[in-house]
Each structure stands twice: as C-alpha cells, then as structure tokens.
Amino acid sequence: MEYKLNPSEISNVFVVPASVVDDDLRLAGSTHLKVLLWTLRHAKHENATLDELSEELKINKPDLVDAMQFWIDRGVIIKYPDSGEPAMTQKAPSPAKEKPSAAAVSVTPPPAPPVVSVSAPADIPMSKPSIDQIAVRCKESGELRDLFDEVQKQLGRTIGYDGQSILLMMYDTYGLPVPVIIMAVEYALSQGKNSLKYIAGIGKQWCEKEIDTLEKAMQFIEDMNECDGIWERFRQLTGLSNPKPTAKQRGYLLTWTRDYGFNIDMIYSAYEEMADHTQKFSMQYIDKVLLNWKNSGIKTTDDVEQAKAAYESGKKPTANEKNNSKEHSYDIEEYERKARSTVPVYRKKKAE
C-alpha cells in the first residue's frame, strides 16, 4: 500500500475494535464513524450525553441517536442500565459470550414477492432486517452493495441502518431489481422528495402494480409526468391551489385524455358544467359529464355549444306547440326528457 501512518502519530493513539474494520466498516456511514471515533477517543468520559456530543461534532440529535443505535446493535457500544441515552463507553470483552460473526448468522430467506392485483393490492408490511442480516446479504450480493453505494451518491448522504433496511426490503421482499430501485430514487428526487420512506412508498406501489422492469418504470414515470402537466394547465384555468394531483386524480386525468380522447379545453368545459350545478369540486362529476359527451359523440367545445343550443331551443315551444300543448302533451314531455339528457344534471356529491 502506498499510504502509511505518520510514525510521529503512533505515540498518541487509542484502540479501535478489530470488528469495526472487519465486519462493520462497509455498513457504517460517515456520521456513524465520527460518533464512534469520538467515543473511543473519550472512552473514559463515561458521563457524556448526546447533547454534549451533538455540540462537539455539530451533528443533529436524531442523526446521533441513529448512529449510536447502529453501534449498540453491533455490540460495540452499550447503554448504562439506568440511562435513557446510549452510554459513551466501549463494550467490555466477555469470554463467555462472543459476538457471532456475520457469516455465522442464520438468515431465513425472505418470502417471494406476492403476485398482487392492481385493482385490489395487498398490504405488504415493512419488515426490518437485522444488522447481521444486512451484513450477510451484502456479502452474498455485490449488486446489493452497489445499490447502497449508488443511492448514497444520489442522495448526497449516508443512508445508515434505516436506509439500508428499506433498500433491502425493496430488493428482497418487493422483488424489485436494482436498476428499478435506482429509477424509483431518481423519480422521487425529481418530485423534490429525498426521504427513503417516500422512496419505499414508490417501491410498494410498483410492486403492487408489477412494475418490475425499466420499461414499465419508465412508462409509469411518463404517465405521471403527463398527468402533472395536464393538472398544471387545469389548475391555472380553474384556480385550484393543489400543486400536484392525488393518485386518484391522476387516474381520472389519464382516463379523460387517453380513454376518452379529450384535451384540456374539453376537460375545462366539463369543469364549468360541474360548477354550474354544484359548489363543491368533484372529479367524479366531471368524469360523468365527459363520459356522457363521449357516448353522445361530442368531441370539441363547438360540439358542446351546439348541444347546449339544441337543448335551450328544445326548452322553448313554438306558438303552434303552445296551442297544441294539451293535445300533444305526452310527446312534448318525451321530447323535453330526451333534450335534458343531452347535458346531464347530477346531484351534489362530495369533492373527490
């Protein structure tokens, strides 16, 4: 190796457990290592608190708790029995109970990802693996190690035990390939989200929808981006405040544009029809209007105006119709009933 420790520094050293380098180094993040090195350097300072350590290292307390718990789980740091906080001390060696190596840990293979119906998705629980299970899986799979490294690069931070647990769950339990998981991370970042819990939500959704290839993931992202663009134009026209549509609203938008074949002008016309009959915003009401137009062959805003004009003219009987209203009342009522069906009026419903 080209790099060696400066001999002048050897006179002032402290002990680092060999297991930290042999078993834990790959899994540890920069915050984990900072906390451990400070703890080892001040091993005699047994009364140090997390607040003091936070001030010393300029690391926020939640990250410190995560880092301390990482080393507690590994058996490198222990808690005082009467303390609510992790103690800043090394674990005393115990010949009667040795910490098992990662290779000796028995790991039950995770169940195969369930085949889930898109219309009725099953609830897939988040099952956290242990630190040792993560270590074993990393030794078994270089692809998984690469996933951890790549996600840390994309997020610009270490992911720690919780992040590794989530990614391993997406890989093993949800059955998503590494490229698909990385694409889920990229999509989350494009939405301004960098939380691994948010990314796990995307992974769960993709598992339920059987989005398990790059092609399917790209199509999903294309659909979502298309919906967001339509929603933005719709929002500008209507004055709605929601910057992003909900999952259900996205479903409506895709149905209106792809299945019904309507553009944003027709969607807005349907919105106006809704607003004329109810004060509450309802995607379901708009959907019924658009479906009626589709079934009636109404395709453009001009068609809508013509249909309204025909409806209005049908409501105004001529002089002859007035004179013959008693004689032909049944026919007139039937005509008006049919005319009213051209542009439906629906009962008020709660906003979707």
Side-chain angles (χ1 to χ4, degrees), residues 252 255-256 260 270 282-292:
Y252 276 123
T255 297
W256 299 342
Y260 297 175
S282 171
M283 296 286 279
Q284 186 178 9
Y285 195 116
I286 297 173
D287 180 67
K288 289 183 177 180
V289 174
L290 290 172
L291 180 60
N292 180 274

Side-chain angles (χ1 to χ4, degrees), residues 179-337:
V180 174
I181 297 175
I182 292 174
M183 184 163 287
V185 176
E186 292 174 349
Y187 174 66
L189 293 175
S190 73
Q191 300 298 303
K193 307 288 187 180
N194 63 0
S195 165
L196 278 161
K197 289 185 178 179
Y198 182 87
I199 294 168
I202 296 175
K204 180 176 183 292
Q205 182 184 25
W206 287 9
C207 175
E208 292 169 349
K209 294 180 178 294
E210 298 182 353
I211 299 174
D212 52 7
T213 66
L214 281 177
E215 291 74 16
K216 292 179 182 179
M218 292 174 66
Q219 183 62 54
F220 174 87
I221 293 173
E222 181 181 335
D223 291 346
M224 294 303 99
N225 289 338
E226 179 182 342
C227 287
D228 289 348
I230 297 170
W231 179 263
E232 179 60 26
R233 295 195 295 275
F234 181 65
R235 190 173 69 89
Q236 291 174 358
L237 290 170
T238 60
L240 293 172
S241 59
N242 307 50
K244 296 285 185 181
T246 64
K248 191 170 184 179
Q249 289 170 339
R250 284 191 173 105
Y252 276 123
L253 293 174
L254 285 177
T255 297
W256 299 342
T257 55
R258 295 189 177 181
D259 297 344
Y260 297 175
F262 289 126
N263 59 22
I264 187 63
D265 293 332
M266 288 294 286
I267 294 173
Y268 179 64
S269 294
Y271 167 83
E272 289 185 313
E273 185 65 28
M274 176 214 71
D276 287 342
H277 294 89
T278 177
Q279 295 180 348
K280 294 183 178 180
F281 176 70
S282 171
M283 296 286 279
Q284 186 178 9
Y285 195 116
I286 297 173
D287 180 67
K288 289 183 177 180
V289 174
L290 290 172
L291 180 60
N292 180 274
W293 288 351
K294 175 180 178 293
N295 294 335
S296 301
I298 298 174
K299 299 180 179 179
T300 66
T301 52
D302 289 340
D303 293 341
V304 173
E305 294 302 319
Q306 291 175 10
K308 286 183 178 180
Y311 170 64
E312 293 297 328
S313 64
K315 289 174 61 177
K316 299 176 181 178
T318 63
N320 290 335
E321 288 172 336
K322 288 181 180 179
N323 294 333
N324 298 327
S325 59
K326 294 182 179 180
E327 181 179 354
H328 303 289
S329 60
Y330 176 81
D331 293 338
I332 291 173
E333 289 174 0
E334 179 69 9
Y335 176 81
E336 290 179 346
R337 186 188 65 79

Side-chain angles (χ1 to χ4, degrees), residues 23-42:
D23 301 329
D24 308 328
L25 194 58
R26 175 173 288 277
L27 298 176
S30 60
T31 300
H32 301 148
L33 293 174
K34 285 181 181 179
V35 170
L36 178 65
L37 290 175
W38 191 95
T39 303
L40 295 174
R41 176 67 178 86
H42 301 84

